[in-house]
Amino acid sequence: MNPDLFREGVARLRVEIHKVIVGHEALVDEVLIALFAGGHILLEGVPGLGKTLLVKTLAQALDLRYSRIQFTPDLMPADIIGTNVVMQDEAGRRFFEFQRGPIFSQIVLADEINRATPKTQSALLEAMQEHSVTASGTHYDLEEPFFVLATQNPIEMEGTYPLPEAQVDRFLFKLRVAFPPPADLVTIMDRTTGPDQPAPERVAAGATVLAMQALAREVAVATHVKEYVARLVRATHPDGEGASMARRFVRYGASPRGAQALLLAAKVRALIQGRANVAFEDLRALALPALRHRLILNFEGEAEGIDPDEIIRNVLAETPELAAGVRR
Amino acid sequence: MTALPADVLLLLRRTSRAQAWTQASLWGTRAMVVAAGASLLWTVLGTILSVAITPPLVLAAGLGGALALTAARGLLPGRRLAAAARVADAQLGTRERMSTAVDLAAGRIPSTALATQVMADAAAAARTAAIDRLRPRAPAAARWAAVAVLVAAAAGWVVPGLTLPSTPARETAERIRREGRRLEQTARRLEEEARTARAPQARRAAPAVQRLGRDLQRQRLDRAAAQARIAALQRQLEATRRRIGERIGEAFAPQARPPAPDAFFRQPTDLDQSIKQLRELAARLAQMPVAEGERRDLLQQLSDLAQSGEGRMPAAARRNLEEVRRQAEAGNTAGAGEALTQALQELEALEALMADEQALRVTQRELERSSERIARGGAGRGRSDQDERADTPPAQPAPGAQRPQDQEGDTIAAPPEGPHQGSTAGEGKVQAKLGAPSPRLEARGERSRVRGQEAQGQLQTSEILGPGRRLPARTTVQPVAPSVARQADAHLARQRIPADLRAVVRRYFEILAGRR
């Protein structure tokens, strides 16, 4: 794998996805960035915007095993991970056999994840972080690449369970699916109401995805760029080094996992942009999806309905690319 | 570790140079602001204190320093490639390619499988970069710095000479005006006396001195400017005086030149005497033929004059005298008279030159004194007036004016130093001591008190025994009342006075009481 092949692969994947998905170029790019960074995505948007379709299309374009879990309040962890069931062999002896749940896939769509109870939501924790599950004391590795895409509806809050911070922090990106513009809407109608439904071709296998993920980690990052990431993350905190809005509206800022996510995603973006090094613009472009779900607002922020995106924009505006005292 | 590509290195060196000049312009701008501030401060200070250095000079020095600082910073580019790489990334839009390459080459970040790609990317970016963007940028504050310099320059041009009342600067300004008046008086006197003494160079110098005096009074000059004007005139006079001195030196042996007196146009006695004698001889020659005895006497005088004139008379004049003597010996009265006239003309021309030189020397000294007084700055008004009176050379009294009578307690102004000041018994010739009227004899008396100053050192006192003054008693003698005498006796009895001394004590009091 080399940067040119990487870019070519991404371009082909993008083309295949856009055969089905109309518009949402930035969203698709960010999904691909998260995929090649080896992270998971929390997609947030009102119903009907194509979140599920996007994930399904991605799974179809990649030669990966795909499963969909519809999260409901009565969904149990075993429904996700799997359970031991009593089996009987030919000799009539009974034994327990682990019946794998839908988590044992490579692309998992956790649809409406906030409808399940926190207990069930937490069943994803180990899978997302460790890429493994443990059932009845037995450890099972998940097949790589493993990619969770969760969706949630931000409006309909009745009967939902907000994701715990630990769960949210494990998502590389939180992407907001916006309503398509009228032109895109017309195209969507054309594509979906006609006799032929477009279908994407498989353009990449799991091994290719893994190679691309490995290549992304080889991207070089200059010292002062890394320092900028650290200062950005530090500026989301409400203490002395925080940006003005962070000091006022944030209870807890982004975790170190946020810095890792931002830098890793920036590496992928750099490769997509045809560079072998991370630039400040990569970080600025990905700061919102990588950090917005990691900020915990304080009472004032909640009361005033502050959007974390505003805080991150403020952080970007108030954090210079070079630290004070560092000469250009 | 991967080496930096040559294209990247070249670009970074250019960036470093441009950055050095950008930094230099920033330093220069700051230095300009500091210079302007210092000049303004100096200007304000000049209205209070008498400062020796003018604000424009301060500004010029500051700007010179700023220029030197800028040049020094610009010519010494930084050696840090990392800084240059960051600047290049920022200015050329190379998206951190340069800084990443430099970090990789320096080993600041671990090498990766894409290190070669990073270097190739950086080299390609360096080749296609728009190097024109690397031009040194003037800081945004440069415009304001220029405005500050203009304001400082304008203030340095307009304000000097303005002084606040009751400040040392005001006193200095008054001092400059007083010196201007004094120089104007000096110029008038110089012109009058130059006309009398027929000293052309001195007469030509007088208007310049007068102009300077007027300028000092009328123009708003600060101390430095006034001193500069005086120094300029001094240099001019010095050049003229030197030319005259050379001409005198050609005619006169240097060691024979008389010392310069502290007054205008006081000719040296030897030359004056020689001219007098020559005039007498010319009168006698005009009466030729005379008796043989008188002719021998005349020849002898000519011989003496020629011999005694060696060293104090120009060689040409002495040769003319010899010629006079030869012509007189030969009985050629007309030839002798003509030679004598030539000798006289020689001496009179020399006299005029020496008068010029002395006048210029004295004028220079006056200028120097004025410069020194201005340098000392303003003193109290009373003292200044006193200084001015004491420093003004006494006006020459009219010939025959009577010397004022000395009065008890008055101090007569000391005569200026000169060749006629006093004489030492047994030295010199009487004729040489007599000459032009001594200014001491005609000095104008002036009442003034001389303030003493307590000396430092040991103070010695000694007791002198002698009769006291006879003065009337302050209290009248009164008889001692008997009751008082009794009380004294009682007290004496009560006091513990030794018995053998009791009689002495009683006698003492009886003496006091007038009983004895």
Side-chain angles (χ1 to χ4, degrees):
Chain A
M1 180 62 64
N2 60 46
D4 293 334
L5 284 177
F6 185 98
R7 264 197 300 164
E8 191 183 331
V10 171
R12 284 169 58 197
L13 203 50
R14 194 186 286 140
V15 168
E16 292 305 317
I17 291 172
H18 280 299
K19 281 182 181 171
V20 179
I21 303 296
V22 178
H24 294 303
E25 284 83 5
L27 179 72
V28 170
D29 281 353
E30 285 164 352
V31 167
L32 294 178
I33 286 170
L35 170 69
F36 295 117
H40 312 288
I41 293 175
L42 178 61
L43 287 163
E44 188 177 83
V46 293
L49 293 181
K51 300 186 293 289
T52 308
L53 181 64
L54 171 64
V55 178
K56 277 177 65 179
T57 308
L58 179 67
Q60 287 170 0
L62 298 169
D63 190 12
L64 301 175
R65 282 192 290 113
Y66 164 74
S67 65
R68 173 183 171 166
I69 307 168
Q70 183 65 46
F71 278 59
T72 55
D74 58 350
L75 189 73
M76 297 302 287
D79 297 333
I80 298 170
I81 294 170
T83 186
N84 285 316
V85 296
V86 180
M87 301 292 284
Q88 192 170 14
D89 61 7
E90 294 171 353
R93 286 177 296 183
R94 291 182 179 177
F95 62 96
F96 281 107
E97 186 180 278
F98 181 68
Q99 194 72 36
R100 295 186 174 202
I103 196 76
F104 284 90
S105 291
Q106 287 173 301
I107 293 182
V108 177
L109 170 61
D111 211 5
E112 296 188 275
I113 190 171
N114 56 341
R115 289 202 170 274
T117 60
K119 178 183 175 185
T120 309
Q121 290 171 0
S122 299
L124 284 174
L125 280 177
E126 186 188 356
M128 289 171 72
Q129 183 66 33
E130 312 291 338
H131 292 204
S132 64
V133 291
T134 305
S136 304
T138 309
H139 183 83
Y140 301 95
D141 285 327
L142 299 174
E143 191 178 357
E144 297 289 350
F146 178 71
F147 189 38
V148 175
L149 290 103
T151 67
Q152 66 176 8
N153 183 352
I155 296 171
E156 194 181 345
M157 304 301 287
E158 189 75 27
T160 60
Y161 301 91
L163 291 172
E165 279 76 25
Q167 178 77 37
V168 171
D169 201 35
R170 278 166 171 75
F171 287 104
L172 186 88
F173 282 170
K174 177 181 179 182
L175 302 178
R176 287 180 173 165
V177 186
F179 197 85
D184 288 351
L185 200 55
V186 170
T187 312
I188 290 169
M189 287 187 290
D190 287 344
R191 280 192 195 174
T192 53
T193 56
D196 298 324
Q197 299 291 321
E201 291 176 15
R202 294 178 189 271
V203 292
T208 309
V209 173
L210 286 176
M212 290 167 86
Q213 285 179 352
L215 184 68
R217 289 177 176 267
E218 297 289 342
V219 171
V221 189
T223 313
H224 65 295
V225 176
K226 282 186 273 194
E227 288 168 359
Y228 178 58
V229 175
R231 278 184 289 112
L232 271 183
V233 171
R234 200 74 189 82
T236 61
H237 287 255
D239 56 12
E241 294 174 33
S244 56
M245 282 190 76
R247 285 201 298 272
R248 189 174 170 197
F249 299 116
V250 173
R251 184 150 58 103
Y252 294 114
S255 64
R257 200 178 271 136
Q260 294 167 355
L262 180 57
L263 191 59
L264 199 53
K267 286 183 174 188
V268 178
R269 187 179 186 275
L271 276 179
I272 291 173
Q273 297 287 324
R275 277 179 279 113
N277 66 287
V278 174
F280 287 119
E281 68 170 38
D282 299 323
L283 300 169
R284 282 194 296 269
L286 298 174
L288 283 176
L291 297 179
R292 62 161 65 106
H293 54 294
R294 301 177 201 273
L295 303 187
I296 301 174
L297 301 185
N298 59 17
F299 177 78
E300 191 180 354
E302 295 282 2
E304 294 199 13
I306 297 295
D307 186 352
D309 283 11
E310 285 180 49
I311 297 172
I312 293 165
R313 285 192 196 99
N314 175 252
V315 165
L316 286 170
E318 292 186 5
T319 307
E321 290 174 355
L322 292 179
V326 176
R327 289 169 48 207
R328 274 229 182 251
Chain B
M1 196 178 296
T2 315
L4 273 177
D7 292 327
V8 174
L9 268 177
L10 184 67
L11 179 76
L12 295 186
R13 287 199 187 111
R14 284 185 183 178
T15 309
S16 187
R17 263 202 302 279
Q19 181 65 7
W21 281 109
T22 302
Q23 192 75 20
S25 65
L26 183 65
W27 285 20
T29 302
R30 286 175 184 163
M32 275 168 65
V33 172
V34 170
S39 175
L40 278 173
L41 192 67
W42 200 256
T43 305
V44 172
L45 199 67
T47 63
I48 300 167
L49 296 174
S50 181
V51 290
I53 304 168
T54 57
L57 199 63
V58 171
L59 184 62
L63 292 180
L67 194 65
L69 193 69
T70 306
R73 181 65 188 88
L75 292 172
L76 294 173
R79 294 178 182 173
R80 293 184 62 232
L81 284 179
R86 288 170 192 173
V87 173
D89 284 334
Q91 292 188 4
L92 302 177
T94 47
R95 292 182 173 81
E96 282 61 65
R97 282 187 176 94
M98 303 300 156
S99 44
T100 309
V102 167
D103 277 2
L104 268 175
R108 272 192 286 274
I109 53 175
S111 185
T112 68
L114 293 178
T116 314
Q117 179 76 31
V118 169
M119 294 297 175
D121 272 2
R127 278 194 296 274
T128 57
I131 296 173
D132 291 347
R133 290 192 203 165
L134 285 177
R135 276 186 299 230
R137 290 171 300 170
R143 198 174 301 163
W144 292 110
V147 171
V149 168
L150 285 177
V151 168
W157 180 263
V158 173
V159 175
L162 291 177
T163 53
L164 294 177
S166 306
T167 57
R170 174 62 61 90
E171 289 179 4
T172 301
E174 286 172 0
R175 160 66 75 187
I176 291 170
R177 276 196 288 278
R178 277 200 295 278
E179 290 304 319
R181 280 198 297 276
R182 209 178 64 79
L183 287 178
E184 209 175 352
Q185 288 170 7
T186 303
R188 276 200 292 273
R189 212 171 58 250
L190 177 67
E191 190 174 9
E192 286 168 10
E193 296 186 16
R195 192 179 293 130
T196 308
R198 282 178 290 183
Q201 297 294 341
R203 201 171 163 189
R204 281 188 205 117
V209 178
Q210 192 168 26
R211 213 164 31 245
L212 174 64
R214 280 181 192 156
D215 288 350
L216 291 184
Q217 289 177 77
R218 290 175 190 169
Q219 292 181 5
R220 283 187 317 167
L221 296 173
D222 58 7
R223 177 190 284 175
Q227 284 183 305
R229 299 284 291 271
I230 291 173
L233 183 57
Q234 270 183 314
R235 282 195 297 275
Q236 188 184 332
L237 295 184
E238 174 65 21
T240 310
R241 194 180 67 78
R242 193 164 292 169
R243 280 200 303 276
I244 294 170
E246 284 168 2
R247 287 175 60 190
I248 293 172
E250 287 168 5
F252 239 148
Q255 65 272 19
R257 291 181 61 178
D262 194 11
F264 292 126
F265 312 118
R266 194 150 303 123
Q267 291 82 16
T269 307
D270 289 347
L271 193 60
D272 202 37
Q273 288 298 313
S274 300
I275 291 169
K276 270 185 184 175
Q277 287 175 358
L278 285 182
R279 281 180 183 150
E280 283 173 11
L281 286 172
R284 288 177 67 183
L285 267 175
Q287 294 169 2
M288 292 284 271
V290 294
E292 185 58 27
E294 283 186 13
R295 200 170 69 88
R296 276 203 302 274
D297 183 47
L298 182 66
L299 292 174
Q300 184 60 41
Q301 273 196 20
L302 279 170
S303 179
D304 289 348
L305 193 59
Q307 284 171 6
S308 67
E310 192 173 354
R312 59 191 176 92
M313 193 183 287
R318 280 192 283 116
R319 280 197 299 275
N320 282 330
L321 281 179
E322 281 296 321
E323 182 62 26
V324 171
R325 195 177 63 79
R326 277 198 299 275
Q327 295 290 345
E329 267 183 351
N332 185 359
T333 312
E338 192 178 339
L340 194 58
T341 305
Q342 281 182 2
L344 258 174
Q345 283 172 350
E346 289 274 344
L347 288 185
E348 281 169 355
L350 187 64
E351 186 186 33
L353 279 178
M354 293 184 74
D356 267 336
E357 195 208 17
Q358 285 174 12
L360 292 177
R361 193 190 299 272
V362 172
T363 307
Q364 273 185 286
R365 200 171 299 161
E366 289 298 319
L367 289 172
E368 197 176 333
R369 282 180 188 162
S370 289
S371 182
E372 282 172 6
R373 286 192 204 103
I374 290 169
R376 281 203 301 270
R381 174 165 279 283
R383 189 186 155 197
S384 301
D385 292 345
Q386 210 172 36
D387 284 353
E388 193 173 358
R389 279 200 303 275
D391 292 339
T392 306
Q396 292 289 336
Q402 198 173 4
R403 181 189 172 199
Q405 289 288 322
D406 288 358
Q407 294 181 10
E408 193 179 354
D410 286 354
T411 305
I412 305 300
E417 293 177 1
H420 308 301
Q421 183 190 17
S423 61
T424 308
E427 290 183 11
K429 293 182 178 178
V430 175
Q431 284 181 341
K433 292 177 182 177
L434 299 174
S438 166
R440 183 169 64 172
L441 297 175
E442 295 168 357
R444 182 177 294 168
E446 189 175 341
R447 283 174 180 274
S448 64
R449 289 181 185 278
V450 179
R451 286 188 182 175
Q453 186 177 5
E454 189 178 349
Q456 293 185 346
Q458 287 185 337
L459 181 68
Q460 187 176 5
T461 58
S462 59
E463 190 176 358
I464 298 172
L465 295 176
R469 287 186 178 182
R470 290 182 178 277
L471 295 172
R474 291 180 183 175
T475 55
T476 55
V477 178
Q478 290 180 347
V480 178
S483 60
V484 176
R486 275 200 302 279
Q487 283 180 4
D489 288 342
H491 278 289
L492 272 174
R494 276 206 300 276
Q495 296 295 327
R496 291 177 182 174
I497 300 170
D500 56 335
L501 294 177
R502 207 167 284 164
V504 177
V505 174
R506 184 180 301 280
R507 193 164 62 246
Y508 172 76
F509 282 106
E510 281 176 354
I511 289 169
L512 285 181
R515 289 182 194 173
R516 288 197 177 186

